[in-house]
Amino acid sequence: MTFEASSRIQDPVYGCTLMISQLQHQIMQTQYEIAKIQAEIAFFTAQQQLMNHQRNANQAEWTHSIEQQHGFHLEDQHQNSTDFNFHPPL
């Protein structure tokens, strides 16, 4: 009430409506900026997911190609290589 009364003294016609209008404008501007940033985050997240998917697909294709060429499964070789008693054939 004090703010409203002092605003009415400074501006008898509009009182605190100018301040309210300015604050509403700031709120709208901030909401716009938040929406814009959320859209950018969604875009970059989708872009990152697409890149990860493509990388995984390329890696799977490469792995399949190597397995086809050499006649073994790389996953089997990886599991065997972690066994400390594993000795590759000479």
Side-chain angles (χ1 to χ4, degrees):
M1 261 198 205
T2 305
F3 175 73
E4 188 175 351
S6 64
S7 296
R8 184 64 67 182
I9 291 170
Q10 292 176 356
D11 187 350
V13 176
Y14 293 106
C16 62
T17 57
L18 177 63
M19 178 61 74
I20 292 171
S21 177
Q22 289 173 341
L23 291 173
Q24 286 176 333
H25 179 72
Q26 286 179 346
I27 289 170
M28 288 174 27
Q29 239 180 341
T30 303
Q31 289 173 332
Y32 169 77
E33 290 175 23
I34 289 171
K36 182 178 171 188
I37 290 169
Q38 288 173 330
E40 289 175 0
I41 290 170
F43 172 78
F44 289 121
T45 300
Q47 188 178 35
Q48 186 66 40
Q49 288 175 347
L50 179 62
M51 288 172 54
N52 288 342
H53 177 73
Q54 289 174 340
R55 183 181 56 222
N56 291 340
N58 289 342
Q59 185 176 11
E61 185 179 321
W62 177 83
T63 300
H64 180 71
S65 172
I66 295 298
E67 290 173 349
Q68 291 281 330
Q69 290 174 6
H70 298 286
F72 62 87
H73 294 285
L74 290 177
E75 288 182 12
D76 295 341
Q77 294 296 318
H78 177 68
Q79 289 172 354
N80 289 337
S81 67
T82 59
D83 180 7
F84 293 113
N85 297 322
F86 174 72
H87 299 285
L90 300 173

